[in-house]
Amino acid sequence: MFFMELSRGQNDRRTEVNVGAVTDVGTTYSEVAMLCVNLSLADFYSSRPQFQTRLVVNFGDSREDVVGAAAAALELIKNKQVKAILGPWTSMQAHFLIEIGQKTQVPVVSYSATSPFLTSLRSPYFFRATYEDSAQVNAIKSIIKLFGWREVVPVYIDNTFGEGIMPRLTDALQEINVRIPYRSVIALNATDEEISVELLNMMTMPTRVFIVHMYSSLASRVFVKAKELGLMKAGYVWILTNGVTDDLSVISEVSFEAMEGVLGVKTYFPKSKELDKFRSRWRKRFPRKELTVYGLWAYDAITALAIAIEEAGTSNLTFSNADPRRNVSEIEALGLSQYGPKLLKTLSEVQFKGLAGDFRFIKGQLQPSVFEIVNVLGTRERSIGFWTEENGLVKKIDQQPVSRESALSTWKDHLKPIIWPGDADSVPRGWEIPTNGKKLRIGVPKRTGYTDLVKVTRDPITNLTAVTGFCIDFFKAVIEELPYDVSYELIPFEKPNGEAAGNYNDLVHQVFLGRYDAVVGDTTILANRSSYVDFTFPFIKSGVGLIVPMDDLVKRDQFSFFKPLSWKLWLTSFVFFFIVGFTVWVVEHRVNPDFQGPDNYQASTIFWFAFSTMVFAPRERVFSFGARFLVISWYFIVLVLTQSYTASLASLLTTQQLNPTITSMSSLLERGERVGYQRTSFIFGKLKDAGFSPSTLVPFDTAQECDELLRNGPRKGGISAAFLEIPYLRLFLGQYCNTYKMVEEPINVDGFGFVSFLDDTSLKYALNGEIIILFFQVFPIGSPLVADVSRAILKVAESPKAMELQRAWFKKKEESCPDPDTSPDPNPYVTSRQLGLDSFRFLFIGVFVICIMTLGKFTICFLKKTEGNDYWGEFKKPDNKSYINRVEKCSCSSKQQPPDASSQAAKPDDNR
């Protein structure tokens, strides 16, 4: 035992109170802490001469051993009857001292034991005058969340100190959906070779983000080896806990340089004049010793103990003796401190501003609210920001927090510029495919139809397999866009005889069983598959379309020329031909020799003139104004009718008016029709769920089989409609666009995507914990590759490469078919209707009104001239008084020359 009493400057009127300090005597960190204890007591009592108590610190050497610490504490209690114990140094030593303090009612105040496991002892006599290790996990979580890393590997020392932080760290990372695929545990006394083996094992993993929690002495050795092995180059991320960063000042220069680029969470002490003065005084008195965080905590811890003892008073400073008649243990023989409960109460209420900031025990320990974030550069550390409980990561303590709702916020808004390992200035991805890993085993479906998507062929001579198709080419384009190399081999999912080994669900299950690391092919994203695999962003639109045959609704026969016009329009046109001809005859026959003659001749002239207007070539000339106006109006209607009829008839005779025979899936269900589906597709289950009877479902493999079934129809053992996924539908319509049409998309799915499955037993493969299915595109649950491949898919989809691939594989197969890439539906639903009376209603009404007006004017004039005489007789006689008779007729008239407008101008008839 080593004892030292601090009673200098005390007089007989002061009450001396013995306290113990258990530490590793002779070590640098212990020496710094004990010097701070001496300075603290000197400063405290010199500024408070009125205090009636004086602490006498008795030091016990724990000899860097757990048992030694316990023995030192027992000696101090037994021989010095100390009322409190300061220390010990490590969490393992503290565990035993807490038990001793609990049994003897002697408070234990530790300034360096940080393991969260000590809190689980729930001893009221244990006070932690430092920060618990788990207090910094939220700062670490914020850093990882800020940069978007999805996996981390903890690297910690194999003891209570290292393991204590893991439960809280794991919980914090799970809150932000960050996985821990592996834990690297290194013993305190590990050799350089053992450290190298562990680091090499870490190199074979895809995860590149490491959280280091260990003593600074061990961390310095780890980083020196990491730099030698290449784990400090660009792409790696190292985050240190305060267990390392708080001791960076005592690490050797070689170790410091090996840590260049790492991030660290460091204990933050608020700036104060007292702290600056103390550091200045320390550098003057101890220029060769570095002031540590633990020294400052030791300074405040002994101050708190001095205040608490002063408040507790000096009464009853004894220990109760055990009953000598009982057979008790050595600890029980020490008795119970009668002063302990009172000191426990005052120590719990101590509150002051120390060198390390506000000092106050909350549930027996200090509660931090701020941590500093540092970046190691060369032989120094640089502050790049702070983590606060209220605002998270900020560049400065007094900085206003960046709005969490801001979509444009980046890590540069929260932290200062960072130099990463390898002098990189860009943020590492945190994930890479190891170059020394094995090739990914990628399964490929064996198809018998629609081989434009995936086609597997085998060379009969070399027995080598070649895999081609749109899916394969798109997958290769995505792999080229990844920021790292991926080695793979394509393995067909087939039997030894070359037949398919199962359907797509079987293929996915093989990935689940570990036969394949990945699958590339036309696998659709479904809910039941996503329960054990992850899908990337779909790279091609999918869904299920309903294909039906097209029927030409127009029946072409010898009476097709009647079909452009409705029967009402035909009838109305014929009636108006007669009405117009009759009206013109009535007005013209008394003055126009072309409309005179025998009764039979005049009747035939009426019909001849009326129907000759259809071709605008009547032989008879019209002289009266009313008749001329009527004929001009009728010519306009005839022109509109003939042009409309010609256009409609041409369309009818030259264009097919194709219409689907079935318009929806519901009509198929109502009629119980037989329908087809792709044999290896998920559509069969979807159709059964929709209500189709299995007996009405007919499978097919190729586009040719589908075409044959649809042509035969249900009566010849075929089908009425077929259900295909959209990519296959585009290929089908590209070949049979003139015969079939998609009328509905009754089933929606998310498209094709790459798939993956996660299995911890796959560490022997390239991804060390990740099984990947690249099914357009499927990946393991939680795999970081999902995000990388999704980004690569978007890059390819937005580039000209995607259009080139679609044009190459979805191109038309018949010249008469439009390109399904630009027009997936080559037969739009177009109908034409007959021309009806409604389209010409107002024209006929106008002509009818003109007829009435013309006849009305003729009748009025005729009645005035006859003056009640024989109407019929007068009607049949020529009108010799008309102005038309005074006009010279040309020789074109058979009976009387019509007037020559060029030779004689017509004069108005006074009688009219």
Side-chain angles (χ1 to χ4, degrees):
M1 295 291 295
F2 172 76
F3 298 97
M4 181 177 70
E5 297 184 3
L6 292 177
S7 57
R8 186 181 305 169
Q10 301 178 17
N11 55 42
D12 296 338
R13 291 180 298 174
R14 304 290 187 253
T15 303
E16 295 181 351
V17 179
N18 286 323
V19 295
V22 177
T23 184
D24 297 332
V25 176
T27 59
T28 301
Y29 52 82
S30 177
E31 185 177 355
V32 172
M34 293 305 102
L35 288 174
C36 289
V37 168
N38 292 339
L39 292 175
S40 176
L41 290 177
D43 294 343
F44 181 80
Y45 288 120
S46 63
S47 61
R48 298 170 179 80
Q50 73 279 11
F51 275 25
Q52 299 300 312
T53 58
R54 293 292 184 271
L55 297 190
V56 177
V57 182
N58 302 269
F59 293 89
D61 186 7
S62 57
R63 297 183 176 87
E64 302 182 50
D65 182 66
V66 174
V67 177
L74 291 174
E75 289 295 329
L76 289 173
I77 295 174
K78 180 178 180 180
N79 299 330
K80 293 295 183 177
Q81 292 192 337
V82 294
K83 305 306 181 288
I85 295 178
L86 190 68
W89 182 258
T90 68
S91 298
M92 289 74 69
Q93 295 170 346
H95 189 280
F96 287 91
L97 261 68
I98 292 171
E99 296 290 346
I100 294 174
Q102 175 73 19
K103 291 183 178 299
T104 59
Q105 295 185 357
V106 175
V108 176
V109 181
S110 176
Y111 55 86
S112 58
T114 58
S115 174
F117 285 166
L118 301 178
T119 306
S120 62
L121 298 178
R122 302 185 183 280
S123 173
Y125 286 91
F126 173 63
F127 292 87
R128 197 198 308 266
T130 182
Y131 297 156
E132 186 183 81
D133 285 335
S134 60
Q136 62 189 314
V137 298
N138 287 328
I140 297 173
K141 178 182 74 173
S142 298
I143 294 174
I144 295 172
K145 181 179 180 180
L146 179 64
F147 293 106
W149 297 314
R150 308 309 304 164
E151 286 191 356
V152 299
V153 172
V155 184
Y156 57 94
I157 189 172
D158 188 13
N159 59 18
T160 303
F161 168 76
E163 296 171 352
I165 196 176
M166 289 308 301
R168 285 289 304 277
L169 179 62
T170 302
D171 293 342
L173 295 179
Q174 285 180 348
E175 292 175 1
I176 57 175
N177 197 29
V178 174
R179 297 178 57 250
I180 299 179
Y182 178 73
R183 299 184 182 188
S184 177
V185 184
I186 301 177
L188 176 62
N189 57 352
T191 63
D192 290 346
E193 183 179 356
E194 292 173 339
I195 294 175
S196 298
V197 170
E198 184 61 31
L199 292 175
L200 288 172
N201 186 33
M202 292 163 56
M203 287 185 67
T204 62
M205 301 176 187
T207 308
R208 291 293 182 262
V209 182
F210 306 106
I211 300 175
V212 180
H213 180 63
M214 57 183 59
Y215 299 144
S216 59
S217 58
L218 179 59
S220 62
R221 297 173 56 206
V222 169
F223 278 100
V224 170
K225 285 296 180 183
K227 186 175 183 179
E228 292 178 0
L229 297 174
L231 274 78
M232 297 302 297
K233 61 183 181 181
Y236 285 87
V237 178
W238 295 84
I239 301 175
L240 308 177
T241 64
N242 61 0
V244 182
T245 53
D246 288 344
D247 283 343
L248 287 178
S249 58
V250 299
I251 291 180
S252 66
E253 184 175 344
V254 175
S255 301
F256 213 114
E257 291 178 350
M259 295 182 181
E260 184 168 9
V262 306
L263 300 181
V265 178
K266 186 176 182 180
T267 302
Y268 173 74
F269 294 144
K271 295 181 179 180
S272 64
K273 294 181 179 179
E274 292 76 10
L275 180 58
D276 292 340
K277 290 179 180 179
F278 183 79
R279 284 175 170 167
S280 177
R281 184 162 48 128
W282 179 272
R283 285 192 294 267
K284 291 180 181 179
R285 295 188 59 178
F286 312 106
R288 295 184 178 181
K289 298 185 183 299
E290 290 287 342
L291 179 61
T292 64
V293 171
Y294 301 106
L296 296 177
W297 271 324
Y299 185 100
D300 287 348
I302 197 65
T303 299
L305 197 55
I307 295 174
I309 289 177
E310 179 69 21
E311 291 293 332
T314 58
S315 61
N316 206 6
L317 294 173
T318 60
F319 277 75
S320 63
N321 296 323
D323 188 353
R325 293 173 297 178
R326 292 177 53 202
N327 186 16
V328 296
S329 64
E330 183 177 358
I331 296 179
E332 293 175 336
L334 298 176
L336 299 176
S337 172
Q338 302 301 308
Y339 190 70
K342 188 186 298 184
L343 179 58
L344 176 66
K345 183 177 182 301
T346 57
L347 197 56
S348 300
E349 298 173 354
V350 168
Q351 186 174 353
F352 65 95
K353 185 174 180 60
L355 295 181
D358 293 334
F359 192 99
R360 180 187 176 189
F361 287 120
I362 299 176
K363 296 182 179 180
Q365 60 186 14
L366 301 183
Q367 300 294 330
S369 59
V370 180
F371 282 99
E372 185 178 9
I373 311 301
V374 298
N375 183 206
V376 178
L377 296 176
T379 58
R380 63 183 180 89
E381 58 185 77
R382 181 175 64 92
S383 177
I384 59 173
F386 300 88
W387 177 87
T388 65
E389 192 173 5
E390 298 81 11
N391 301 326
L393 293 172
V394 291
K395 293 181 180 179
K396 298 180 180 179
I397 289 292
D398 56 352
Q399 176 184 337
Q400 291 296 326
V402 179
S403 175
R404 296 181 180 179
E405 298 178 358
S406 175
L408 301 178
S409 174
T410 64
W411 71 268
K412 294 182 179 179
D413 297 320
H414 298 266
L415 296 174
K416 297 176 183 178
I418 301 173
I419 300 299
W420 302 94
D423 291 331
D425 54 3
S426 60
V427 178
R429 292 182 303 270
W431 164 272
E432 289 184 5
I433 298 285
T435 56
N436 56 352
K438 294 184 179 180
K439 291 184 178 181
L440 296 180
R441 298 171 300 166
I442 300 179
V444 178
K446 180 65 179 294
R447 295 195 58 87
T448 56
Y450 299 99
T451 54
D452 292 314
L453 295 175
V454 179
K455 183 178 181 180
V456 178
T457 56
R458 187 178 298 275
D459 191 320
I461 300 177
T462 63
N463 202 33
L464 295 178
T465 301
V467 184
T468 58
F470 173 76
C471 299
I472 305 302
D473 286 353
F474 198 96
F475 165 72
K476 292 178 179 178
V478 169
I479 293 297
E480 292 176 358
E481 289 293 334
L482 290 176
Y484 40 79
D485 295 330
V486 176
S487 299
Y488 61 89
E489 58 178 332
L490 301 176
I491 306 174
F493 183 52
E494 61 181 1
K495 298 177 182 178
N497 59 3
E499 297 179 356
N503 58 26
Y504 283 81
N505 288 329
D506 297 330
L507 181 58
V508 175
H509 189 62
Q510 295 302 313
V511 177
F512 180 80
L513 297 177
R515 179 180 176 185
Y516 299 137
D517 301 319
V519 170
V520 172
D522 47 340
T523 300
T524 306
I525 302 173
L526 299 176
N528 62 336
R529 294 172 181 171
S530 64
S531 61
Y532 52 91
V533 293
D534 273 350
F535 291 86
T536 64
F537 190 87
F539 68 86
I540 187 171
K541 180 184 180 296
S542 188
V544 178
L546 175 60
I547 295 292
V548 298
M550 302 293 292
D551 270 355
D552 191 353
L553 299 182
V554 179
K555 304 300 182 182
R556 295 170 179 81
D557 50 29
Q558 62 270 26
F559 299 106
S560 296
F561 64 90
F562 283 117
K563 294 179 180 178
L565 306 183
S566 65
W567 68 268
K568 290 183 179 180
L569 184 56
W570 279 115
L571 179 62
T572 303
S573 299
F574 279 112
V575 169
F576 267 81
F577 273 116
F578 174 76
I579 292 174
V580 171
F582 176 77
T583 302
V584 172
W585 173 79
V586 170
V587 175
E588 290 286 319
H589 85 284
R590 298 186 69 211
V591 296
N592 191 338
D594 289 340
F595 290 90
Q596 296 175 358
D599 293 341
N600 292 338
Y601 177 79
Q602 293 187 47
S604 64
T605 299
I606 293 174
F607 287 99
W608 169 261
F609 178 81
F611 289 101
S612 65
T613 59
M614 185 183 302
V615 292
F616 310 102
R619 181 177 62 86
E620 296 77 12
R621 300 186 64 183
V622 179
F623 297 132
S624 64
F625 174 79
R628 285 184 173 185
F629 183 71
L630 175 61
V631 170
I632 291 173
S633 301
W634 180 242
Y635 274 169
F636 176 74
I637 293 182
V638 171
L639 175 65
V640 173
L641 276 174
T642 55
Q643 294 296 327
S644 300
Y645 174 84
T646 302
S648 181
L649 181 62
S651 173
L652 180 70
L653 296 178
T654 60
T655 304
Q656 288 184 317
Q657 297 184 21
L658 301 177
N659 286 277
T661 56
I662 296 171
T663 58
S664 66
M665 186 174 69
S666 58
S667 61
L668 291 171
L669 288 170
E670 292 173 0
R671 294 156 56 178
E673 297 282 358
R674 287 164 54 89
V675 297
Y677 68 93
Q678 294 166 264
R679 185 182 303 274
T680 60
S681 174
F682 64 92
I683 298 177
F684 178 75
K686 295 290 184 181
L687 294 179
K688 287 202 303 181
D689 295 340
F692 284 94
S693 171
S695 60
T696 63
L697 301 178
V698 181
F700 58 85
D701 292 314
T702 66
Q704 291 73 20
E705 289 182 19
C706 179
D707 173 58
E708 183 180 356
L709 289 171
L710 288 170
R711 287 182 182 276
N712 292 336
R715 295 181 180 179
K716 297 181 180 180
I719 56 178
S720 300
F723 290 90
L724 293 93
E725 293 183 67
I726 297 299
Y728 310 106
L729 181 147
R730 292 177 60 186
L731 293 171
F732 183 81
L733 291 182
Q735 188 172 357
Y736 302 103
C737 65
N738 296 320
T739 311
Y740 305 104
K741 176 184 178 67
M742 186 185 81
V743 295
E744 188 183 22
E745 190 175 338
I747 303 174
N748 292 321
V749 294
D750 285 339
F752 290 168
F754 293 155
V755 190
S756 63
F757 169 74
L758 179 61
D759 184 355
D760 292 338
T761 63
S762 61
L763 294 175
K764 59 185 178 180
Y765 299 126
L767 297 184
N768 299 286
E770 317 272 5
I771 289 186
I772 305 171
I773 306 180
L774 299 172
F775 274 125
F776 278 17
Q777 299 157 348
V778 192
F779 279 90
I781 292 178
S783 171
L785 273 177
V786 173
D788 289 346
V789 173
S790 294
R791 294 188 189 98
I793 290 173
L794 292 177
K795 289 181 180 179
V796 175
E798 295 172 359
S799 68
K801 182 67 174 179
M803 188 63 65
E804 293 175 7
L805 292 176
Q806 295 206 30
R807 288 175 179 173
W809 293 103
F810 289 96
K811 62 184 177 181
K812 54 187 177 182
K813 295 189 177 182
E814 291 184 359
E815 292 300 326
S816 60
C817 292
D819 190 347
D821 180 51
T822 57
S823 180
D825 187 2
N827 288 312
Y829 186 77
V830 177
T831 60
S832 62
R833 64 186 184 90
Q834 286 181 319
L835 297 175
L837 182 60
D838 293 341
S839 302
F840 306 94
R841 183 185 304 276
F842 289 106
L843 294 178
F844 283 113
I845 291 176
V847 171
F848 184 74
V849 170
I850 293 173
C851 288
I852 296 298
M853 293 173 61
T854 302
L855 289 174
K857 179 181 178 183
F858 173 82
T859 303
I860 293 173
C861 294
F862 176 75
L863 292 176
K864 286 182 180 181
K865 288 182 178 183
T866 57
E867 298 179 352
N869 297 326
D870 183 13
Y871 294 118
W872 180 246
E874 291 293 330
F875 179 75
K876 296 175 63 178
K877 294 179 180 180
D879 186 2
N880 296 322
K881 297 180 179 181
S882 174
Y883 71 93
I884 298 176
N885 293 326
R886 297 194 294 270
V887 178
E888 184 179 355
K889 311 294 192 299
C890 66
S891 58
C892 61
S893 176
S894 61
K895 297 181 180 180
Q896 188 176 6
Q897 298 299 324
D900 187 354
S902 64
S903 63
Q904 184 177 358
K907 297 182 180 180
D909 189 349
D910 296 337
N911 295 329
R912 303 186 75 177

